[in-house]
Amino acid sequence: MNVEDVIRVFKNSGIVRPIDQTERIQAMVNNADLLLTAWLGDKMIGVARALTDWSYCCYLSDLAVDKEAQKSGVGRDLIAKVREEIGEEVALILLAAPSAMAYYPKVGFEKIENGFTIRRKK
């Protein structure tokens, strides 16, 4: 896996990420606590990137699946693998893009209303 694979999956998935900033995407990959990928042959078709303390909480910061592989269970499998890696004592949380709001309840997430954010400026 290399940063170009991640950028291609981000681009082909519809997720909004700074794909024109290779160094920033590389830093996102390098600094993830957990990075899982899905492949079809030699082509990456999915990526899950998370930040966690391995004890109490895990933030799933990216879940991206190439549009050609969406609705095939790849995203569900990546989430299951993240949950397996972090264990039962760790809460899995995320911020969903508006276009993905209907997806996450289908794969076991509960919608919460008690969150806050300070948005990035860039």
Side-chain angles (χ1 to χ4, degrees), residues 3-41:
V3 71
E4 288 81 19
D5 292 321
V6 175
I7 290 171
R8 186 179 37 73
V9 170
F10 283 170
K11 182 178 180 181
N12 294 340
S13 71
I15 195 171
V16 177
R17 294 295 181 267
I19 58 173
D20 60 333
Q21 299 175 38
T22 303
E23 289 180 14
R24 190 171 182 189
I25 299 291
Q26 185 68 64
M28 290 165 59
V29 168
N30 291 349
N31 293 307
D33 296 309
L34 182 59
L35 183 72
L36 302 172
T37 57
W39 296 78
L40 185 61

Side-chain angles (χ1 to χ4, degrees), residues 39-102:
W39 296 78
L40 185 61
D42 61 354
K43 180 182 178 187
M44 182 192 294
I45 58 169
V47 62
R49 190 178 69 85
L51 307 171
T52 185
D53 58 18
W54 301 101
S55 177
Y56 191 73
C57 61
C58 177
Y59 173 62
L60 182 58
S61 52
D62 294 316
L63 179 66
V65 177
D66 190 302
K67 285 185 180 179
E68 293 180 4
Q70 289 177 5
K71 299 186 181 185
S72 68
V74 173
R76 183 182 301 269
D77 291 347
L78 285 167
I79 292 166
K81 186 64 177 167
V82 168
R83 293 183 72 196
E84 180 182 319
E85 292 286 326
I86 62 176
E88 293 181 354
E89 293 183 345
V90 180
L92 184 57
I93 58 176
L94 60 81
L95 295 174
S99 61
M101 290 296 290

Side-chain angles (χ1 to χ4, degrees), residues 24 118-122:
R24 190 171 182 189
I118 297 175
R119 299 198 183 271
R120 72 187 72 76
K121 292 183 180 182
K122 295 183 180 182

